[in-house]
Amino acid sequence: MSQLQARFFTEDKRYVVDDVPFSIPAGSEVEDLSNVINKLLLAKNASHSKVDFDFLVRGQFLRTSLSFHMETEGISTEEVVEIEYVERVTAPEPEECMMHDDWISSVDAGWSYDKTVAGHTDVVKDVAWVKRDGLTSLLLTASLDQTILMWEWNSERNKVKARHCCRGHTGSVDTVATDPTGSKFCSGSWDKMLKIWSAVPTDEADEVEEPADRPRKKQKTQQLGLTRTPLMTLSGHNEAVSSVLWCDSEEVCSASWDHTIRVWDVETGGMKTTLTGSKVFNCISYSPLCRRLASGSTDRHIRLYDPRTKDGSLVLLSLTSHTGWVTAVKWAPSHEHQLVSGSLDNLVKLWDTRSCKAPLYDLAAHEDKVFCVDWTESGLMLSGGADNKLYTYRYSACQTDAGA
Amino acid sequence: EDEDLSDSEDSVYSGLEDSGSDSEDDEDEEEALDAAADDDEEEEKEEQAQRVEFTCQLTADWLRLFSVFSCRMSPDIRNTVGNIPMEWYRDFPHIGYDLDGKKIYKPIRNKDELDDFLDKMENPDYWRTVHDKQTGSDIILSDDQVELVNRLQRGQFGDVNFNEYQPSVEFFSKDVMIHPVTNRPADKRSFIPSLIEKEKVSKLVHAIKMGWIKPRRVEDDSRGRYYDLWSTEDSSILAKHKMHLPAPKIPLPGHQESYNPPPEYLFTDEERALWEQQDPSDRKLPFVPVRFSSLRQVPAFPRFIHERFERCLDLYLCPRQRKMRVNVNPEDLIPKLPKPKDLQPFPTTQSLVYQGHSGLVRSISVSPSGQWLASGSDDGSVRFWEVRSSRCMKTVQVGGAVKSVAWNPNPSVCLLAVALDSVVLLLSPSLADRQVVSASERLLSGQDEVEPAEGAGPVTWGEAEGEELNQGIRLRIQHPKAVHQVVWHTKGDYLASVMPDHSSHLQVFIHQVSRRRSQNPFRRNKGLVQCVSFHPVRPYFFVATQRSVRIYNLVKQEMTKKLQANSKWISSMAVHPGGDHVICGSYDCRLSWFDLDLSTKPYKMLRHHKKAVRGVAYHRVYPLFASASDDGSVIICHGTVYNDLLQNPLIVPVKVLRGHVITHDLGVLDVTFHPTQPWIFSSGADATIRLFT
């Protein structure tokens, strides 16, 4: 068996080894390398306990034998190989399962809604937090009944109160997103429009020119809160808007069934760039850490885009493992490489962009279609689906591994 | 006369000479030839010689030879003057000199003409008398001499005893002798260069150098008498007329022909039996390979002559013609179809399953926006599904097996027509914007007062009440018979319903929703109506009966075309969104594509399905069409239609979609495309609806 010259390094201060090249067998796999590092650490520090490591060769996770990996990546075996090692991410475990009465269509940082709880006349499609401080919090629900409701939640008394009813869409509102400052929110609807609304609760209703002979049930929903009208309408999509998010406080990014992702300027209301794909986009997510857009589409792929490219459709990376529509995708809030995705094939997958061939972990807890996934800042992963269950996963992302 | 005179003179002298000789009476003695000749001649020769006819033919040589021959034995009186003209001695008394040098005197000629004549008449030896000019005497030839003359005249040898045919000894023969013919040593000149020749050559060379003689010019034949007449002609033309084909060469003998062939070439019993059975012209080998232990035991080939003969016939009698055969690969004749990969997008995989029905789902329909899907099932319910999440949003119990559902294609209203039993229901599912919902409500409730005017017809309109109203059912259109299909016009105001019935002309009704009117467009029964369809743009109406599709112009109220589907029983029909093409599925597993501009016969028949085709559909935007069959599969075909009338539609089957479970021998019952995406919905007998993307 041939030998390779390898030098190990890490950014984790706890597990630093000497910066000298080692000669290791070319056929060694992750386990062998992990044993090598553990032995080195044990030699340095007698109190070291065994830690599992993962290894990165030129930014790609090692998943096969070292020689095979270098062959496929086209790395020369003549030189000293730089191998970075990180503590292995342990498998997320389903921690808690909350039963709901109906399908879970959306989850945002630990809260989910279904039709029975809220008071919409129709199915709730999306939820978003506006403010989560103190005893009262503000949250938004977008529904199939073409309205968005702003709720005030008193956590102490666990009571919700509808503050505003946002009318203006002529199709089911599929997605809603709050801007980083919490003063505005954006909604996307089946009627191909994006609308920007004010998220500040007031006590005055906006002027709405409603037809006088409006049906009775509409009047009933009106009583849930004060009517609010959109600040701005962004039109340009040719098909239903499936997902919307804020890149920063001035930029809104929307994905649509017309196979495009568009970036809008909120100040001017104009469209800035268009990324054209070949399939329907179901969901997008933006990571400020790595400045990448991740999109899930109906052709079962997760694609990463750079939103700053002008009118291009350059796919940076394609993650392929799902066997159904990718319905939800979310970047980790504290890790620049990790994202989680949910699909109609009942699976939630945890990905690392450094290992694009296969996901890090498959989370097969759901028994039916997964519709939504999210992260909490406390390191929990959430997923909800058509089996009425909201799963939380305890996930031990090592703190030091968080880039940035 | 001159000669005669001389002759007479001669004879005179010869007579003198003869005087000394013997008696002249012995004529016949052969032994005394010479003596007799000598004796007799003297006297008679002169006279006789003139009279014998052949005298003149005898040359002097002969006579001299004769005389030499005769003189050998007797005293020679021959003249010694030699061979001179005798007239030189004409004026002399003598005629010459004898051997002793004495004058030979001319015999005394006293004979005149008369004597001569008398002599001729009387002398019996006159004919053999020869005049010797040299001696001037007459000689009477003996019998032997006459005989000799006769022989010579006949060209025979003078000597009777000479055998001219005696065997000859050849000097030059094939036999190589040990001795040379001559032993003379070679000449010196034979091995030294000839000085004379050298001189001659040097003279010639000098003459050539001086230019006196010129060397012979070699004649240039390149452009002379012989040249290629057709050399300037095009070789391809020439090749065309080159019809000669040499006979193929006889193949060289192989192992089979060997007298001791390897065992694998020998016939087994079956092979031999087969060989004997075959017609001689079909046989692979014209003989049976036989093994012999040695070449010496090989008998003559019995068919040798036969084969040679046939070969000869083949060589010069067999008509051979160069066959101009075009070598075409049969695969090249198949038109190049584009690869399915290049024809994307089209549905490839199953994405969602809409579960909830408990009976087979007969009919599905997608809302014009593509957000909702309606399905009608045998379990008596109509369900509304959200397309993207496969969630059943609404279930309406209509109380009967639903045969057909159709969503109003007008996007400004939200209405669903449902056919069950003998009723067509109009549902307002209120799954749309408020204004759309109210618009559809207005459409249904408007023109109330017109209705009772012709209520006596076979169709009655009624409003739903109570619980049905809450479920969204708005109108009931009661038909006389069971309704199998409902179809909307593109504008969304007209609705056609089909009641297949052999015996009645009341098979198709066209309803106007806004005015609540129904009419039967056809007065006569043209066969069992299977399905109907409106033209998407023009006022045409397609009616599919069992074997044909009729196209009616609704404005002119006449039939414009009749399409002959070459199938036994049409099950379903779809009209291209452009309106110029129709596809028909039939229960005998076929799908026929009609190009209305082209012909009334199918442009293409697709026989991809194993079982009856139940449903066909066109996509509204993408160039796709699909067929669903009882074999549980949906086949997606790419069908590009060109605006150019000269270009025929391009039809490529691209995908077979499977997923439905065959239940009660029924597979997929209905297919419909998503209005905007390249997705297809299929409903099956297994109570599910599947979305393929």
Side-chain angles (χ1 to χ4, degrees), chain A residues 11 27 31 50 62 83 91 95 114 117 123 127 149 160 178 184 211 237 253 257 274 322 344 364 385 397:
Chain A
E11 289 176 2
E31 283 301 315
K50 193 171 186 297
L62 186 63
I83 300 179
E95 190 187 53
D114 53 52
V117 176
V123 178
V127 291
L149 284 179
V160 287
T178 320
K184 277 182 280 195
H237 279 297
C253 189
W257 278 31
T274 305
H322 279 297
L344 292 185

PDB file of all heavy atoms in Angstrom, chain A residues 11 27 31 50 62 83 91 95 114 117 123 127 149 160 178 184 211 237 253 257 274 322 344 364 385 397:
ATOM      1  N   GLU A  11      -8.800  24.474  12.871  1.00  0.00           N
ATOM      2  CA  GLU A  11      -8.984  25.791  13.462  1.00  0.00           C
ATOM      3  C   GLU A  11      -9.502  25.675  14.882  1.00  0.00           C
ATOM      4  O   GLU A  11      -9.687  26.679  15.568  1.00  0.00           O
ATOM      5  CB  GLU A  11      -9.965  26.601  12.603  1.00  0.00           C
ATOM      6  CG  GLU A  11      -9.329  27.004  11.281  1.00  0.00           C
ATOM      7  CD  GLU A  11     -10.297  27.713  10.367  1.00  0.00           C
ATOM      8  OE1 GLU A  11     -11.451  27.920  10.774  1.00  0.00           O
ATOM      9  OE2 GLU A  11      -9.888  28.046   9.236  1.00  0.00           O
ATOM     10  N   GLY A  27      -4.726   4.323   1.315  1.00  0.00           N
ATOM     11  CA  GLY A  27      -6.071   3.761   1.334  1.00  0.00           C
ATOM     12  C   GLY A  27      -6.833   4.057   2.609  1.00  0.00           C
ATOM     13  O   GLY A  27      -7.926   3.518   2.823  1.00  0.00           O
ATOM     14  N   GLU A  31     -12.159   6.805   9.382  1.00  0.00           N
ATOM     15  CA  GLU A  31     -11.934   6.190  10.694  1.00  0.00           C
ATOM     16  C   GLU A  31     -10.445   6.114  11.000  1.00  0.00           C
ATOM     17  O   GLU A  31     -10.004   6.428  12.125  1.00  0.00           O
ATOM     18  CB  GLU A  31     -12.543   4.778  10.703  1.00  0.00           C
ATOM     19  CG  GLU A  31     -14.044   4.764  10.848  1.00  0.00           C
ATOM     20  CD  GLU A  31     -14.503   5.447  12.129  1.00  0.00           C
ATOM     21  OE1 GLU A  31     -13.897   5.175  13.182  1.00  0.00           O
ATOM     22  OE2 GLU A  31     -15.440   6.268  12.045  1.00  0.00           O
ATOM     23  N   LYS A  50     -11.574  10.295  23.419  1.00  0.00           N
ATOM     24  CA  LYS A  50     -11.680  10.077  21.978  1.00  0.00           C
ATOM     25  C   LYS A  50     -12.785  10.946  21.358  1.00  0.00           C
ATOM     26  O   LYS A  50     -13.898  11.036  21.873  1.00  0.00           O
ATOM     27  CB  LYS A  50     -11.982   8.603  21.716  1.00  0.00           C
ATOM     28  CG  LYS A  50     -11.809   8.194  20.279  1.00  0.00           C
ATOM     29  CD  LYS A  50     -11.905   6.677  20.183  1.00  0.00           C
ATOM     30  CE  LYS A  50     -11.597   6.205  18.785  1.00  0.00           C
ATOM     31  NZ  LYS A  50     -12.543   6.677  17.789  1.00  0.00           N
ATOM     32  N   LEU A  62     -14.087  14.264   3.165  1.00  0.00           N
ATOM     33  CA  LEU A  62     -13.584  12.951   2.771  1.00  0.00           C
ATOM     34  C   LEU A  62     -14.658  11.921   3.107  1.00  0.00           C
ATOM     35  O   LEU A  62     -15.073  11.805   4.246  1.00  0.00           O
ATOM     36  CB  LEU A  62     -12.294  12.671   3.542  1.00  0.00           C
ATOM     37  CG  LEU A  62     -11.523  11.422   3.175  1.00  0.00           C
ATOM     38  CD1 LEU A  62     -11.054  11.490   1.759  1.00  0.00           C
ATOM     39  CD2 LEU A  62     -10.336  11.278   4.104  1.00  0.00           C
ATOM     40  N   ILE A  83      -4.685  18.430   5.008  1.00  0.00           N
ATOM     41  CA  ILE A  83      -5.967  17.874   5.433  1.00  0.00           C
ATOM     42  C   ILE A  83      -6.439  18.639   6.661  1.00  0.00           C
ATOM     43  O   ILE A  83      -5.748  18.690   7.688  1.00  0.00           O
ATOM     44  CB  ILE A  83      -5.856  16.372   5.764  1.00  0.00           C
ATOM     45  CG1 ILE A  83      -5.380  15.610   4.526  1.00  0.00           C
ATOM     46  CG2 ILE A  83      -7.184  15.835   6.240  1.00  0.00           C
ATOM     47  CD1 ILE A  83      -5.220  14.146   4.763  1.00  0.00           C
ATOM     48  N   ALA A  91     -25.114  13.028  14.790  1.00  0.00           N
ATOM     49  CA  ALA A  91     -26.395  12.898  14.119  1.00  0.00           C
ATOM     50  C   ALA A  91     -27.478  13.626  14.906  1.00  0.00           C
ATOM     51  O   ALA A  91     -27.576  13.466  16.120  1.00  0.00           O
ATOM     52  CB  ALA A  91     -26.769  11.434  13.989  1.00  0.00           C
ATOM     53  N   GLU A  95     -36.035  14.972  19.004  1.00  0.00           N
ATOM     54  CA  GLU A  95     -36.117  15.165  20.437  1.00  0.00           C
ATOM     55  C   GLU A  95     -37.555  15.204  20.884  1.00  0.00           C
ATOM     56  O   GLU A  95     -37.944  14.566  21.837  1.00  0.00           O
ATOM     57  CB  GLU A  95     -35.414  16.468  20.811  1.00  0.00           C
ATOM     58  CG  GLU A  95     -35.234  16.619  22.285  1.00  0.00           C
ATOM     59  CD  GLU A  95     -34.686  17.995  22.595  1.00  0.00           C
ATOM     60  OE1 GLU A  95     -35.288  18.988  22.147  1.00  0.00           O
ATOM     61  OE2 GLU A  95     -33.663  18.071  23.249  1.00  0.00           O
ATOM     62  N   ASP A 114     -51.909  25.912  12.366  1.00  0.00           N
ATOM     63  CA  ASP A 114     -52.808  25.279  11.414  1.00  0.00           C
ATOM     64  C   ASP A 114     -54.135  25.984  11.473  1.00  0.00           C
ATOM     65  O   ASP A 114     -54.333  26.923  12.234  1.00  0.00           O
ATOM     66  CB  ASP A 114     -52.928  23.781  11.665  1.00  0.00           C
ATOM     67  CG  ASP A 114     -53.299  23.501  13.087  1.00  0.00           C
ATOM     68  OD1 ASP A 114     -54.279  24.079  13.541  1.00  0.00           O
ATOM     69  OD2 ASP A 114     -52.579  22.709  13.739  1.00  0.00           O
ATOM     70  N   VAL A 117     -56.308  26.637  14.843  1.00  0.00           N
ATOM     71  CA  VAL A 117     -55.854  27.531  15.890  1.00  0.00           C
ATOM     72  C   VAL A 117     -56.145  28.974  15.513  1.00  0.00           C
ATOM     73  O   VAL A 117     -56.643  29.745  16.320  1.00  0.00           O
ATOM     74  CB  VAL A 117     -54.348  27.322  16.153  1.00  0.00           C
ATOM     75  CG1 VAL A 117     -53.859  28.317  17.177  1.00  0.00           C
ATOM     76  CG2 VAL A 117     -54.127  25.913  16.634  1.00  0.00           C
ATOM     77  N   VAL A 123     -57.111  27.706   4.865  1.00  0.00           N
ATOM     78  CA  VAL A 123     -55.857  27.114   5.287  1.00  0.00           C
ATOM     79  C   VAL A 123     -54.774  28.179   5.430  1.00  0.00           C
ATOM     80  O   VAL A 123     -54.674  29.076   4.605  1.00  0.00           O
ATOM     81  CB  VAL A 123     -55.409  26.070   4.247  1.00  0.00           C
ATOM     82  CG1 VAL A 123     -54.092  25.463   4.619  1.00  0.00           C
ATOM     83  CG2 VAL A 123     -56.469  25.017   4.108  1.00  0.00           C
ATOM     84  N   VAL A 127     -46.295  31.276   8.107  1.00  0.00           N
ATOM     85  CA  VAL A 127     -46.251  32.103   9.312  1.00  0.00           C
ATOM     86  C   VAL A 127     -44.893  32.780   9.371  1.00  0.00           C
ATOM     87  O   VAL A 127     -43.915  32.293   8.811  1.00  0.00           O
ATOM     88  CB  VAL A 127     -46.470  31.274  10.585  1.00  0.00           C
ATOM     89  CG1 VAL A 127     -47.870  30.770  10.661  1.00  0.00           C
ATOM     90  CG2 VAL A 127     -45.475  30.146  10.652  1.00  0.00           C
ATOM     91  N   LEU A 149     -52.870  37.848   8.398  1.00  0.00           N
ATOM     92  CA  LEU A 149     -53.311  38.359   9.699  1.00  0.00           C
ATOM     93  C   LEU A 149     -52.086  38.603  10.566  1.00  0.00           C
ATOM     94  O   LEU A 149     -51.141  37.806  10.568  1.00  0.00           O
ATOM     95  CB  LEU A 149     -54.233  37.360  10.382  1.00  0.00           C
ATOM     96  CG  LEU A 149     -55.671  37.283   9.850  1.00  0.00           C
ATOM     97  CD1 LEU A 149     -56.443  36.234  10.605  1.00  0.00           C
ATOM     98  CD2 LEU A 149     -56.368  38.624   9.964  1.00  0.00           C
ATOM     99  N   VAL A 160     -53.862  34.777  22.016  1.00  0.00           N
ATOM    100  CA  VAL A 160     -53.570  35.488  20.780  1.00  0.00           C
ATOM    101  C   VAL A 160     -54.706  36.434  20.469  1.00  0.00           C
ATOM    102  O   VAL A 160     -55.865  36.171  20.790  1.00  0.00           O
ATOM    103  CB  VAL A 160     -53.352  34.521  19.596  1.00  0.00           C
ATOM    104  CG1 VAL A 160     -52.031  33.819  19.711  1.00  0.00           C
ATOM    105  CG2 VAL A 160     -54.486  33.529  19.513  1.00  0.00           C
ATOM    106  N   THR A 178     -40.713  38.683   7.021  1.00  0.00           N
ATOM    107  CA  THR A 178     -40.505  39.956   7.714  1.00  0.00           C
ATOM    108  C   THR A 178     -39.097  40.447   7.440  1.00  0.00           C
ATOM    109  O   THR A 178     -38.165  39.644   7.347  1.00  0.00           O
ATOM    110  CB  THR A 178     -40.682  39.760   9.226  1.00  0.00           C
ATOM    111  OG1 THR A 178     -41.767  38.896   9.441  1.00  0.00           O
ATOM    112  CG2 THR A 178     -40.928  41.070   9.903  1.00  0.00           C
ATOM    113  N   LYS A 184     -41.279  46.078   8.289  1.00  0.00           N
ATOM    114  CA  LYS A 184     -42.048  45.797   7.080  1.00  0.00           C
ATOM    115  C   LYS A 184     -42.100  44.291   6.892  1.00  0.00           C
ATOM    116  O   LYS A 184     -41.271  43.546   7.439  1.00  0.00           O
ATOM    117  CB  LYS A 184     -41.373  46.428   5.851  1.00  0.00           C
ATOM    118  CG  LYS A 184     -41.724  47.876   5.667  1.00  0.00           C
ATOM    119  CD  LYS A 184     -41.077  48.413   4.429  1.00  0.00           C
ATOM    120  CE  LYS A 184     -39.631  48.751   4.686  1.00  0.00           C
ATOM    121  NZ  LYS A 184     -39.021  49.593   3.646  1.00  0.00           N
ATOM    122  N   PRO A 211     -66.199  47.012  -1.940  1.00  0.00           N
ATOM    123  CA  PRO A 211     -67.573  47.080  -2.452  1.00  0.00           C
ATOM    124  C   PRO A 211     -68.560  46.921  -1.314  1.00  0.00           C
ATOM    125  O   PRO A 211     -68.302  46.206  -0.343  1.00  0.00           O
ATOM    126  CB  PRO A 211     -67.644  45.908  -3.432  1.00  0.00           C
ATOM    127  CG  PRO A 211     -66.519  45.016  -3.061  1.00  0.00           C
ATOM    128  CD  PRO A 211     -65.457  45.871  -2.466  1.00  0.00           C
ATOM    129  N   HIS A 237     -43.682  38.607 -11.928  1.00  0.00           N
ATOM    130  CA  HIS A 237     -43.696  37.161 -12.102  1.00  0.00           C
ATOM    131  C   HIS A 237     -44.840  36.758 -13.026  1.00  0.00           C
ATOM    132  O   HIS A 237     -45.882  37.388 -13.055  1.00  0.00           O
ATOM    133  CB  HIS A 237     -43.855  36.473 -10.748  1.00  0.00           C
ATOM    134  CG  HIS A 237     -42.570  36.371  -9.985  1.00  0.00           C
ATOM    135  ND1 HIS A 237     -41.503  35.656 -10.433  1.00  0.00           N
ATOM    136  CD2 HIS A 237     -42.184  36.899  -8.800  1.00  0.00           C
ATOM    137  CE1 HIS A 237     -40.507  35.739  -9.569  1.00  0.00           C
ATOM    138  NE2 HIS A 237     -40.895  36.498  -8.554  1.00  0.00           N
ATOM    139  N   CYS A 253     -36.194  38.973  -2.177  1.00  0.00           N
ATOM    140  CA  CYS A 253     -35.920  37.938  -3.167  1.00  0.00           C
ATOM    141  C   CYS A 253     -37.133  37.020  -3.220  1.00  0.00           C
ATOM    142  O   CYS A 253     -37.657  36.620  -2.179  1.00  0.00           O
ATOM    143  CB  CYS A 253     -34.678  37.181  -2.731  1.00  0.00           C
ATOM    144  SG  CYS A 253     -34.083  36.068  -3.947  1.00  0.00           S
ATOM    145  N   TRP A 257     -43.219  30.007  -9.587  1.00  0.00           N
ATOM    146  CA  TRP A 257     -43.461  28.833 -10.431  1.00  0.00           C
ATOM    147  C   TRP A 257     -43.108  29.100 -11.891  1.00  0.00           C
ATOM    148  O   TRP A 257     -43.180  28.203 -12.711  1.00  0.00           O
ATOM    149  CB  TRP A 257     -44.935  28.428 -10.338  1.00  0.00           C
ATOM    150  CG  TRP A 257     -45.250  27.590  -9.135  1.00  0.00           C
ATOM    151  CD1 TRP A 257     -44.640  27.659  -7.939  1.00  0.00           C
ATOM    152  CD2 TRP A 257     -46.215  26.550  -9.043  1.00  0.00           C
ATOM    153  NE1 TRP A 257     -45.165  26.741  -7.081  1.00  0.00           N
ATOM    154  CE2 TRP A 257     -46.149  26.041  -7.732  1.00  0.00           C
ATOM    155  CE3 TRP A 257     -47.131  26.011  -9.923  1.00  0.00           C
ATOM    156  CZ2 TRP A 257     -46.971  25.010  -7.299  1.00  0.00           C
ATOM    157  CZ3 TRP A 257     -47.946  24.989  -9.490  1.00  0.00           C
ATOM    158  CH2 TRP A 257     -47.864  24.489  -8.182  1.00  0.00           C
ATOM    159  N   THR A 274     -32.675  38.752 -12.270  1.00  0.00           N
ATOM    160  CA  THR A 274     -33.498  37.564 -12.471  1.00  0.00           C
ATOM    161  C   THR A 274     -32.581  36.364 -12.644  1.00  0.00           C
ATOM    162  O   THR A 274     -31.656  36.395 -13.454  1.00  0.00           O
ATOM    163  CB  THR A 274     -34.365  37.705 -13.730  1.00  0.00           C
ATOM    164  OG1 THR A 274     -35.115  38.902 -13.624  1.00  0.00           O
ATOM    165  CG2 THR A 274     -35.300  36.534 -13.874  1.00  0.00           C
ATOM    166  N   HIS A 322     -32.660  13.945  -2.873  1.00  0.00           N
ATOM    167  CA  HIS A 322     -34.088  13.752  -2.630  1.00  0.00           C
ATOM    168  C   HIS A 322     -34.724  13.013  -3.805  1.00  0.00           C
ATOM    169  O   HIS A 322     -34.239  13.093  -4.934  1.00  0.00           O
ATOM    170  CB  HIS A 322     -34.764  15.104  -2.449  1.00  0.00           C
ATOM    171  CG  HIS A 322     -34.594  15.676  -1.067  1.00  0.00           C
ATOM    172  ND1 HIS A 322     -35.095  15.045   0.041  1.00  0.00           N
ATOM    173  CD2 HIS A 322     -33.985  16.793  -0.629  1.00  0.00           C
ATOM    174  CE1 HIS A 322     -34.797  15.766   1.109  1.00  0.00           C
ATOM    175  NE2 HIS A 322     -34.106  16.835   0.737  1.00  0.00           N
ATOM    176  N   LEU A 344     -40.974  16.015  -0.368  1.00  0.00           N
ATOM    177  CA  LEU A 344     -42.193  15.215  -0.390  1.00  0.00           C
ATOM    178  C   LEU A 344     -41.897  13.729  -0.214  1.00  0.00           C
ATOM    179  O   LEU A 344     -42.820  12.940  -0.074  1.00  0.00           O
ATOM    180  CB  LEU A 344     -42.927  15.427  -1.718  1.00  0.00           C
ATOM    181  CG  LEU A 344     -43.527  16.809  -1.938  1.00  0.00           C
ATOM    182  CD1 LEU A 344     -44.310  16.827  -3.229  1.00  0.00           C
ATOM    183  CD2 LEU A 344     -44.430  17.199  -0.794  1.00  0.00           C
ATOM    184  N   ALA A 364     -35.287  10.595   8.953  1.00  0.00           N
ATOM    185  CA  ALA A 364     -36.492   9.941   8.446  1.00  0.00           C
ATOM    186  C   ALA A 364     -37.491   9.771   9.575  1.00  0.00           C
ATOM    187  O   ALA A 364     -37.842   8.665   9.958  1.00  0.00           O
ATOM    188  CB  ALA A 364     -36.141   8.598   7.818  1.00  0.00           C
ATOM    189  N   GLY A 385     -44.909  18.455   8.695  1.00  0.00           N
ATOM    190  CA  GLY A 385     -45.359  17.883   7.440  1.00  0.00           C
ATOM    191  C   GLY A 385     -46.800  17.448   7.477  1.00  0.00           C
ATOM    192  O   GLY A 385     -47.571  17.817   8.366  1.00  0.00           O
ATOM    193  N   ALA A 397     -24.186  21.033  16.728  1.00  0.00           N
ATOM    194  CA  ALA A 397     -23.174  21.650  15.881  1.00  0.00           C
ATOM    195  C   ALA A 397     -22.105  22.238  16.781  1.00  0.00           C
ATOM    196  O   ALA A 397     -22.400  23.006  17.694  1.00  0.00           O
ATOM    197  CB  ALA A 397     -23.804  22.738  15.027  1.00  0.00           C
TER     198      ALA A 397
END
